[in-house]
Amino acid sequence: MSAIFRCEGLGKQYGGVVALQGVDLELERGRVHGLIGPNGAGKSTFIDVASGRSQGHGRVFFDGRDVTAVAPGERRRMGISRSFQKTSIFPALTIRDQLDLAAHGAGGGDATEIAGMLGLADVLDRRAEEVSYGQQRLVDLALALVGDPKVLLLDEPAAGLSVAESQALAGHLEEIAARWNVAVLLVEHDMDVVFRICHVLTVLASGRFLVSGPPSEIRSDPAVVRAYFGSTA
Amino acid sequence: MLINALNGLVWGSLLFVLSTGLVLVYGLRRVVNFAHGALYMLGAYIGWAAATQFGFLVGVAAAGLGLAIVGIALDLAIFGRLGGRHPLITVIVTFGVLLILEDVVRSVWGTRSYAIDPPEVLAGVVDLFGAPFPVYRLFIVAASAGMAAALAGWLRFSRTGLFVRAASHDASVAAMCGVRTAAIGPMVVGLGAAFAGMSGIVAAPFLSINPSMGSEILVLSFVVSVIGGLGSFWGAFVSAMLLGQVQAFGTVWLPELAALLPFLLMAFVLVFRPQGIAGTEG
Amino acid sequence: MTASLSLRRFLPDRATLIATALAATAVWTTAGFAPRVVVALLTQALIVSFLALGVGVLIRLSGLVTFGHAAPFGLGAYGAAWALGPAAPFAPEIGLVAVVLGVGVLFWAIGLVVGRVEGIAFGMLTLALGQAVHVAAGKFRHLTGGSDGLIVDLPRHLYGARTDALQTPFGMLVIAAVVLAVVLFGLRSFERTRAGRLAVAIRENEERVRFLGYRTRALKALVFALSAAIPALGGVLFTLHQGFVSPEVLTWGFSGHALIMAILGGTVALWGPIAGALAFFVLREELGGITTHWLAILGTTLIVVTVVWPSGLAGAAAALARRLGRRVGEGGTA
């Protein structure tokens, strides 16, 4: 199966600091691709460049088409969606209203189903600022899920969630990838989630590609262990 | 032609020194001081009052010192407490300060205009490229250059200057490194205010002293900042020089449009580079 | 799940109906029974409140502060003078509407350009723009009469009614109040449309709105245009009432005062800036009579109010109403 989302040589420099260099990555429909690595490895930078939030080097391809220069708004309408590590929602709007906006922006989609699946059905008419942190993280995710995206770029969706919430989230993501045939990129620190649902892992260290492969191999790869425990991050 | 360019240089120098005050305060306190023009005006009036009694030099010193005190007071009472608040708040608050300062000026000195002659030693003209050019205008350029150089040197080479640059870059990190931002704040704002005040009195023989001089110059200093990019000295320099030339040549070649040229220039720059010449992306 | 298509959401709720009834009664009673001086003051305040409302709408729907909104007000005033004058190519009834729409379109175009500038720089930019218009008005004497201004003669009839009532305090008070009510109603309805919610979303988190698939430039420009059309309408009423227009309506002092009114009244409720305008005029009358330093006092009040009490009069009213157990109006997004 050819990759629906392909990143070639992504890089990013902040002044003299190289945050990311020469990273390739491919996403396939229906599969969850985990991106892991110690702190400062460049994972969030990767997602920012891949999603068009930051300008960097390299090229991004969607369904064979070069979308490197395409603005985030248009990418979303094409079906490339992302969530944010630092919760990025609309505090003063009700959850129903913002999901509705997301649906309209993506060109259609059933926000009620998403809300139901994530357990937000009861709080749809509450303002986002009134619900718990965990629910706000879910709203951030829901905004990305509405509208049948083909590619999902998720930046630490489990950040700040309890163990139970994280496991529930993992279950949802598994279902989304499988049932909707979505290509998922999952940047995560929570190893339980990562090893539970990822089909393949890519490990970054110091902004560079370290190794890639199925979770079982990565787990015991000495280079990876060294990167995590030997690093000063 | 060269005379025009020189006049442009005079204007540009004045604008630059004035704008450095804005940049200083914004860089450290993230406050855009809408009262900056009023500080300039206050300096002109204080300087004038002192100059009529004790001479021009004392006038300049009085303007600088007086405004430094005002600036320190402003930071201690207001700017220093606005940390992290919504930008709207800082805008409104400095606007309130503006109202107060304008009222002070009006109460003390009334609404008439005052004129002030340049000091004897700087009066008169000098022969440049076959045309007479007022010596005082050359003084303005020299004084501005001196002030700018002194500031640049201080920022670059002194310990406190280093602290100011660090704190302007990232206040919380600087604080963690032991920089006493609480003490630096009033100093920097006082300095910025002093610069505004001194440019007011230095400009006075060139421009005149009246109750609306504050608002007029404020708009121009904002245009300089927007074009140059908020918080950047280099941007302010380039933009002030550019604006000075535009004004000088504009009044000669397009007198009808001259007053509107700065705004047209600003609109033009913004279309292509909204963050200004030296501003950072986003 | 998609927002209800029924028009029911546009109908006012009970609290708004009661508030409107009270306001209408207050206006009618004042107009009928208060001394002429008070009515005249109130009329002026209501006309200026269009400007304050415009400023408030911009803050409320986009979080942006403007120091140059006297420009659309003045353009509306001068435009009305032109539309009512001999040089206008169409009938005044059409001309006046065209002026308001024209200012809206102009500011929509300006909004497309300046929308790329963020936060404080935007405020500085609006100050400069406002000044530019002020300077231009002074320059183009043949159009604007320069600093002497223009005297405007009203036609005997406009929109089928006699115009002499427009220049009496009573007449203009009622008309301004009615137009203001219509504008408020329109704004409220707009806020309930998807576009209105999108504007709030952009205000809260523009980046995420873009990542949801929207192009935000056009909508930001639309909000800017809307916030300019309202003062323009006020400017038209100004000219109709005064029969005279001068560059006084374009000074940045005027813009600044409008901003103060919007802050004083608060933008938590749509009607906040109007309350702020009324408060400002009353304060000016009362305090201005006592001391010439009333602006300094105002400045101090502003500093104190902003730092201590950020949501202004409307915010205080909302807080009070909450404590009394009733909701004050709808759509109270801070």
Side-chain angles (χ1 to χ4, degrees):
Chain A
M1 192 185 347
S2 69
I4 188 169
F5 192 78
R6 194 159 55 89
C7 302
E8 249 177 40
L10 290 198
K12 172 93 187 167
Q13 242 179 310
Y14 293 100
V17 179
V18 177
L20 191 70
Q21 195 177 74
V23 180
D24 299 334
L25 192 139
E26 284 185 2
L27 300 178
E28 288 174 5
R29 299 200 75 157
R31 315 253 291 167
V32 180
H33 191 133
L35 186 63
I36 63 176
N39 274 327
K43 308 187 294 295
S44 279
T45 312
F46 181 86
I47 276 208
D48 282 346
V49 177
S51 65
R53 189 188 193 196
S54 294
Q55 298 282 49
H57 311 295
R59 315 204 75 78
V60 178
F61 296 89
F62 174 71
D63 216 1
R65 178 184 154 186
D66 188 337
V67 295
T68 317
V70 175
E74 215 196 305
R75 292 195 198 193
R76 175 68 154 120
R77 287 191 294 274
M78 289 166 66
I80 307 170
S81 181
R82 74 160 288 178
S83 73
F84 291 80
Q85 177 186 11
K86 189 162 163 245
T87 311
S88 178
I89 59 179
F90 309 103
L93 292 181
T94 64
I95 296 179
R96 183 191 300 277
D97 281 344
Q98 46 196 292
L99 290 181
D100 176 56
L101 282 182
H104 190 252
D110 189 354
T112 332
E113 194 198 334
I114 309 277
M117 175 174 67
L118 294 179
L120 294 171
D122 294 331
V123 292
L124 274 178
D125 289 307
R126 305 266 294 279
R127 296 220 294 263
E129 61 197 345
E130 295 169 358
V131 301
S132 73
Y133 177 79
Q135 287 171 316
Q136 288 177 349
R137 292 295 297 146
L138 290 176
V139 173
D140 188 296
L141 180 62
L143 287 174
L145 293 176
V146 175
D148 300 320
K150 303 191 181 75
V151 174
L152 264 184
L153 308 171
L154 304 178
D155 195 352
E156 301 201 32
L161 294 185
S162 69
V163 171
E165 287 167 332
S166 304
Q167 285 303 314
L169 177 70
H172 296 320
L173 293 179
E174 254 184 326
E175 195 188 336
I176 289 165
R179 201 146 64 95
W180 300 355
N181 208 25
V182 179
V184 179
L185 175 66
L186 179 67
V187 168
E188 246 317 325
H189 266 304
D190 187 334
M191 288 302 140
D192 291 331
V193 172
V194 167
F195 284 103
R196 176 177 157 186
I197 66 174
C198 293
H199 299 97
V200 61
L201 291 182
T202 293
V203 185
L204 293 185
S206 303
R208 284 179 158 77
F209 172 87
L210 188 65
V211 69
S212 183
S216 47
E217 278 177 29
I218 298 295
R219 193 164 215 153
S220 45
D221 186 322
V224 174
V225 174
R226 214 173 23 247
Y228 269 94
F229 294 105
S231 75
T232 51
Chain B
M1 166 89 177
L2 274 162
I3 297 293
N4 280 338
L6 262 180
N7 276 326
L9 185 60
V10 175
W11 218 171
S13 312
L14 212 49
L15 280 178
F16 176 54
V17 172
L18 183 63
S19 303
T20 48
L22 262 184
V23 172
L24 271 174
V25 176
Y26 181 76
L28 190 72
R29 286 290 190 213
R30 290 288 178 267
V31 170
V32 172
N33 187 7
F34 272 71
H36 197 66
L39 292 174
Y40 162 88
M41 175 170 71
L42 188 59
Y45 275 91
I46 289 181
W48 170 83
T52 43
Q53 296 276 354
F54 304 112
F56 191 73
L57 207 55
V58 176
V60 176
L65 200 58
L67 267 293
I69 296 175
V70 171
I72 291 175
L74 275 178
D75 190 68
L76 286 175
I78 303 175
F79 294 174
R81 296 175 196 226
L82 289 179
R85 300 285 296 264
H86 193 283
L88 168 59
I89 306 264
T90 69
V91 156
I92 304 303
V93 164
T94 55
F95 185 63
V97 172
L98 165 71
L99 290 177
I100 296 175
L101 287 178
E102 284 197 335
D103 191 68
V104 166
V105 168
R106 231 190 344 256
S107 311
V108 176
W109 287 287
T111 49
R112 48 164 288 215
S113 306
Y114 296 98
I116 181 173
D117 293 321
E120 283 278 320
V121 64
L122 294 170
V125 295
V126 77
D127 197 19
L128 278 180
F129 315 110
F133 194 74
V135 174
Y136 191 74
R137 294 192 193 176
L138 292 175
F139 167 70
I140 291 182
V141 177
S144 307
M147 283 163 72
L151 181 67
W154 179 70
L155 279 176
R156 188 104 172 55
F157 299 115
S158 79
R159 233 163 85 95
T160 341
L162 177 63
F163 291 162
V164 171
R165 279 188 292 142
S168 298
H169 196 64
D170 193 321
S172 44
V173 173
M176 284 194 278
C177 293
V179 175
R180 294 182 56 229
T181 21
I184 289 196
M187 174 168 29
V188 168
V189 176
L191 196 61
F195 266 45
M198 284 191 287
S199 51
I201 184 61
V202 166
F206 181 48
L207 293 179
S208 109
I209 304 177
N210 62 72
S212 56
M213 64 191 288
S215 334
E216 286 163 9
I217 208 82
L218 181 69
V219 178
L220 279 176
S221 67
F222 278 1
V223 172
V224 167
S225 297
V226 169
I227 293 180
L230 268 181
S232 161
F233 285 110
W234 263 119
F237 179 73
V238 171
S239 143
M241 288 300 144
L242 187 61
L243 220 59
Q245 295 301 315
V246 164
Q247 286 277 71
F249 284 97
T251 32
V252 173
W253 290 345
L254 297 163
E256 276 312 303
L257 282 184
L260 290 175
L261 283 174
F263 307 115
L264 291 174
L265 183 63
M266 180 178 66
F268 182 78
V269 170
L270 284 177
V271 170
F272 295 105
R273 214 180 144 78
Q275 68 271 35
I277 294 176
T280 43
E281 199 77 52
Chain C
M1 172 55 190
T2 51
S4 152
L5 285 174
S6 87
L7 291 175
R8 229 159 36 117
R9 62 198 162 118
F10 290 120
L11 292 180
D13 64 6
R14 211 180 51 179
T16 316
L17 278 174
I18 297 178
T20 315
L22 281 173
T25 318
V27 169
W28 200 261
T29 323
T30 319
F33 298 104
R36 197 187 160 84
V37 168
V38 172
V39 179
L41 187 69
L42 217 52
T43 310
Q44 274 183 32
L46 276 192
I47 291 181
V48 173
S49 71
F50 279 83
L51 178 53
L53 188 60
V55 174
V57 162
L58 191 62
I59 295 177
R60 187 180 158 89
L61 288 182
S62 69
L64 292 171
V65 181
T66 166
F67 278 83
H69 250 37
F73 185 91
L75 285 173
Y78 274 101
W82 169 82
L84 293 167
F90 10 71
E93 283 91 346
I94 302 180
L96 290 179
V97 174
V99 163
V100 176
L101 287 177
V103 172
V105 169
L106 173 65
F107 276 78
W108 183 79
I110 295 177
L112 283 178
V113 174
V114 307
R116 315 169 75 202
V117 177
E118 292 305 323
I120 306 175
F122 179 84
M124 298 160 74
L125 189 54
T126 55
L127 175 61
L129 280 177
Q131 276 300 87
V133 175
H134 182 45
V135 165
K139 289 276 166 184
F140 297 116
R141 291 190 65 96
H142 49 282
L143 272 181
T144 62
S147 48
D148 296 325
L150 291 173
I151 297 191
V152 180
D153 289 316
L154 297 189
R156 294 283 305 277
H157 290 88
L158 264 184
Y159 301 111
R162 289 181 54 176
T163 56
D164 31 14
L166 285 175
Q167 301 199 321
T168 66
F170 173 86
M172 184 45 90
L173 180 64
V174 172
I175 296 200
V178 168
V179 175
L180 206 52
V182 171
V183 168
L184 278 178
F185 184 71
L187 282 175
R188 210 162 154 281
S189 303
F190 173 72
E191 287 196 346
R192 286 167 177 200
T193 62
R194 178 174 289 127
R197 280 197 296 272
L198 206 48
V200 172
I202 292 177
R203 187 196 78 208
E204 301 223 292
N205 191 344
E206 184 177 352
E207 186 187 45
R208 193 70 201 257
V209 173
R210 269 190 251 122
F211 274 90
L212 287 181
Y214 294 95
R215 275 184 228 97
T216 53
R217 266 179 85 191
L219 187 60
K220 283 169 76 173
L222 178 66
V223 169
F224 194 57
L226 194 61
S227 83
I230 298 172
L233 189 50
V236 165
L237 289 177
F238 176 86
T239 302
L240 287 174
H241 186 55
Q242 304 276 95
F244 171 74
V245 57
S246 78
E248 279 296 303
V249 300
L250 288 169
T251 61
W252 98 274
F254 194 34
S255 294
H257 292 169
L259 182 58
I260 295 177
M261 295 174 205
I263 303 296
L264 264 184
T267 52
V268 169
L270 265 180
W271 50 266
I274 300 175
L278 290 170
F280 184 90
F281 270 79
V282 167
L283 276 175
R284 189 165 71 174
E285 269 303 297
E286 300 306 306
L287 282 182
I290 301 176
T291 165
T292 47
H293 302 292
W294 96 279
L295 274 174
I297 298 177
L298 185 64
T300 322
T301 314
L302 203 62
I303 295 175
V304 171
V305 164
T306 318
V307 175
V308 172
W309 201 17
S311 41
L313 287 173
L320 189 65
R322 265 200 300 277
R323 248 182 269 141
L324 291 175
R326 278 193 243 116
R327 276 165 65 227
V328 177
E330 282 283 332
T333 51

